[in-house]
Amino acid sequence: MTDIFTSIPDVLCPRLDSTLQELSLWQVQIDLNCPGDDLIKLFEQESLLPGIILTKNQYYVGMISRRRFFEYMSRPYSLGLFSNRPIENLYNIIQPEVFVLPEDTLILEATHKALARSPQVVYEPIVVQSNFSRYGLLDFHHLLLAHSRIHVLTVAQLQQAEEQSRVVTNNLVNLQHNYSRLVQNEKMAALGQLVAGVAHEINNPVNFIYGNLSHIRTYINDLVHLLNIYQETYPQPVSEIEKEIDAVDLEFIVSDLPRIIDSMKFGTERIQEIVLSLRNFSRLDEADLKQVNIHEGIESTLLILHNRLKAKPNHPEVQIIKNYTEFPEIECFPGQLNQVFMNILVNAIDVLEEELNPCIEISTQLLNDNWVAIHISDNGCGIDEEIMSKLFDPFFTTKDVNKGTGLGLSISHQIIVDKHKGKLYCESTPGKGAKFVIEIPIRQSILS
């Protein structure tokens, strides 16, 4: 009879690729020639011993479990019949089913195979065979414990991997979002610089023309006056002069010249208004807070979008209704606020392309001593409820490919909420249009 070499196994850190050789095994052996009483003594010596390996002439023969041994020995006459006789007699009668696995079997695989045994022996211990033909005994419950710990470890690793994947995904989305915002802001800044440059280049010659119109009017008046004096002094000019007067239609020229000067004056004044609007809109690269009249910003944006608002051969003019409330100048980032007006108005114009009587209403309202609201409404098809929750998400768009990036409203939300500490939201009923509401404080310095 051999001694007990190993006690209860304890698997602390199993891995997915852990094998049976990493588990502690019971290594209790007894020769078949020993009497049955020796088996009883071994089982009594260690109450947790699941079974005993049987040998003959030091060669492995099989295994007998505690459960099967005491189950058979508890039968009538079994104790008196086998206690003093060789164990081989009892073993030949019981003929227990032995489950043997090599030591390099994965714990997960071993558990699967052990559970596949018949219900009568599913809880029997497992014989583990080493590469050196040594045998140990593994308690099935300890195998389940190791498997359970591997399962817990696997679940924890999966959760950690999912969390890392979520963080990486969020970081990637944020990176793409921020990159797109930077690109968009750079584009708008470049547009602002271009518009400012064009406005400056137009402004100089227009001012030159406008400044000389008054002198031209004076000169023409003087020449007409001089001509009248000649006609009064010489009422009967020579025939050659009379023919030339009839040829050039002198009377029409004299009456039409003032109208031409007035038209030139009106045209240059209109160009000056456009230049002023362009210069107001080109504040996109201004980084400091400024006090501005936001109505001027709205008007500048509408002027920039004039070509999209006017009537087309297959589409009527977009009617603009304005309801402005007088309030103080707003402390804001004017260029960025103009960008918000541009994004919202462009979206509204896009929506109204299929409408028969397109209309956009812009109204401003003084909410209290430090807050104002700008409402931009359209009479389009409205926005469905499932889309409303995604309206300000980066890259979300319902427009066709190459017609939208899904960044306009997202950037607008960032400008209003993050930069101006305000609110931007949408109210819509499907079939009845949509209204975007901008609420910003009159003084940013009060909030900081």
Side-chain angles (χ1 to χ4, degrees), residues 74-326:
S74 63
R75 295 178 181 179
Y77 310 111
S78 292
L79 185 61
L81 187 61
F82 297 106
S83 60
N84 294 318
R85 292 183 179 181
I87 300 172
E88 186 173 8
N89 294 337
L90 176 63
Y91 184 75
N92 291 334
I93 293 175
I94 296 177
Q95 294 184 344
E97 180 180 338
V98 180
F99 187 58
V100 182
L101 290 175
E103 64 177 1
D104 57 358
T105 305
L106 294 175
I107 292 176
L108 298 179
E109 181 185 355
T111 306
H112 176 74
K113 290 182 176 180
L115 288 172
R117 294 181 292 178
S118 63
Q120 291 78 12
V121 297
V122 70
Y123 293 108
E124 291 288 278
I126 300 162
V127 175
V128 179
Q129 181 182 8
S130 71
N131 295 331
F132 303 102
S133 296
R134 296 188 62 184
Y135 297 86
L137 212 57
L138 175 63
D139 193 327
F140 178 67
H141 295 284
H142 297 150
L143 177 63
L144 290 180
L145 176 62
H147 182 276
S148 175
R149 290 180 176 176
I150 291 176
H151 175 73
V152 172
L153 177 64
T154 303
V155 171
Q157 290 176 341
L158 286 175
Q159 290 176 342
Q160 183 179 7
E162 289 177 358
E163 178 64 19
Q164 290 174 345
S165 176
R166 185 186 64 80
V167 171
V168 170
T169 301
N170 289 341
N171 290 341
L172 178 60
V173 170
N174 291 335
L175 181 62
Q176 291 175 331
H177 189 191
N178 292 335
Y179 174 75
S180 300
R181 281 178 173 174
L182 286 174
V183 171
Q184 183 77 358
N185 290 338
E186 286 296 323
K187 287 181 178 179
M188 295 304 292
L191 174 63
Q193 294 173 359
L194 175 63
V195 169
V198 171
H200 177 74
E201 293 299 323
I202 295 175
N203 194 50
N204 286 338
V206 168
N207 285 340
F208 174 78
I209 296 171
Y210 185 80
N212 285 309
L213 284 177
S214 60
H215 300 298
I216 292 176
R217 180 184 294 277
T218 300
Y219 298 158
I220 289 175
N221 289 337
D222 290 344
L223 289 174
V224 170
H225 178 66
L226 181 61
L227 182 61
N228 290 334
I229 293 176
Y230 267 103
Q231 287 178 332
E232 290 173 0
T233 305
Y234 302 101
Q236 297 296 329
V238 297
S239 59
E240 185 178 355
I241 295 177
E242 285 185 347
K243 291 180 180 179
E244 190 63 26
I245 290 175
D246 292 337
V248 300
D249 196 354
L250 181 60
E251 184 178 353
F252 175 77
I253 291 176
V254 171
S255 64
D256 195 47
L257 271 175
R259 289 195 290 269
I260 291 176
I261 298 300
D262 288 339
S263 296
M264 294 175 65
K265 183 175 182 293
F266 175 78
T268 52
E269 288 175 348
R270 177 59 177 164
I271 294 174
Q272 286 178 325
E273 290 176 2
I274 294 174
V275 169
L276 179 60
S277 295
L278 290 173
R279 294 173 70 177
N280 286 338
F281 186 80
S282 67
R283 291 169 169 168
L284 292 170
D285 58 342
E286 292 183 1
D288 298 331
L289 285 170
K290 295 183 180 296
Q291 291 187 1
V292 297
N293 184 336
I294 62 171
H295 296 143
E296 292 181 358
I298 296 173
E299 291 298 321
S300 299
T301 307
L302 289 173
L303 185 60
I304 298 295
L305 295 173
H306 175 72
N307 188 60
R308 293 206 59 191
L309 295 171
K310 67 182 183 181
K312 307 286 191 310
N314 58 347
H315 191 265
E317 178 183 2
V318 179
Q319 183 183 4
I320 301 295
I321 301 175
K322 305 171 190 175
N323 296 304
Y324 293 161
T325 300
E326 292 296 328

Side-chain angles (χ1 to χ4, degrees), residues 337-373:
L337 199 57
N338 287 346
Q339 184 181 352
V340 174
F341 297 150
M342 173 71 76
N343 291 337
I344 295 177
L345 286 169
V346 165
N347 280 350
I349 295 171
D350 290 341
V351 168
L352 296 175
E353 286 183 346
E354 305 298 326
E355 297 297 325
L356 297 178
N357 297 298
C359 177
I360 296 176
E361 182 176 354
I362 306 172
S363 61
T364 58
Q365 179 184 2
L366 183 64
L367 298 178
N368 54 46
D369 292 341
N370 193 48
W371 283 82
V372 297

